[in-house]
Amino acid sequence: MAGLEAAEPGWRRLRIAPVSGGNLTCAKAAHQTAYGRAEAGRRIEDDTLVVDVLVPPNTRAEVRLPGDAAPFEVGSGRRTFRRPYTAPTWPPAAIRHPLGASEEGAE
């Protein structure tokens, strides 16, 4: 949910791609790399998605935020990104197979 992972072996490059949805309003992950601590967190504040990242020294991170068409790269340091957020309908509607039996005929 927080979306923190290595983009290259050894964590020289990070990938941060938080996932939103459901009733979960916040998530945070951290990892101690050879270059220092890496962090990614996301939270919902009113109608805003807030994503906090910490990229260790001498590393870079590819960041992909929900709703953005393309990822972007950032260097080391602490950053906060904000995006408008609309909560999806929850729970999602059930997906039924179009050729499956109807519930009336099911035994």
Side-chain angles (χ1 to χ4, degrees):
M1 298 299 299
L4 176 64
E5 65 179 317
E8 290 180 5
W11 291 80
R12 182 74 186 249
R13 272 188 86 243
L14 315 175
R15 182 172 296 115
I16 299 171
V19 177
S20 297
N23 295 338
L24 193 62
T25 58
C26 64
K28 187 172 183 179
H31 180 76
Q32 187 65 38
T33 75
Y35 303 95
R37 187 174 175 87
E39 297 178 5
R42 65 125 184 116
R43 65 186 182 278
I44 307 297
E45 291 180 355
D46 299 318
D47 293 331
T48 304
L49 172 67
V50 181
V51 178
D52 297 309
V53 303
L54 174 61
V55 180
N58 301 313
T59 63
R60 301 195 60 75
E62 173 189 293
V63 179
R64 180 181 292 272
L65 300 176
D68 285 0
F72 55 93
E73 194 165 290
V74 297
S76 58
R78 187 174 296 275
R79 292 178 176 72
T80 299
F81 304 100
R82 297 176 186 276
R83 297 293 187 269
Y85 178 77
T86 302
T89 303
W90 194 258
I95 299 173
R96 302 200 187 280
H97 192 282
L99 302 177
S102 68
E103 289 186 21
E104 293 174 7
E107 295 182 19

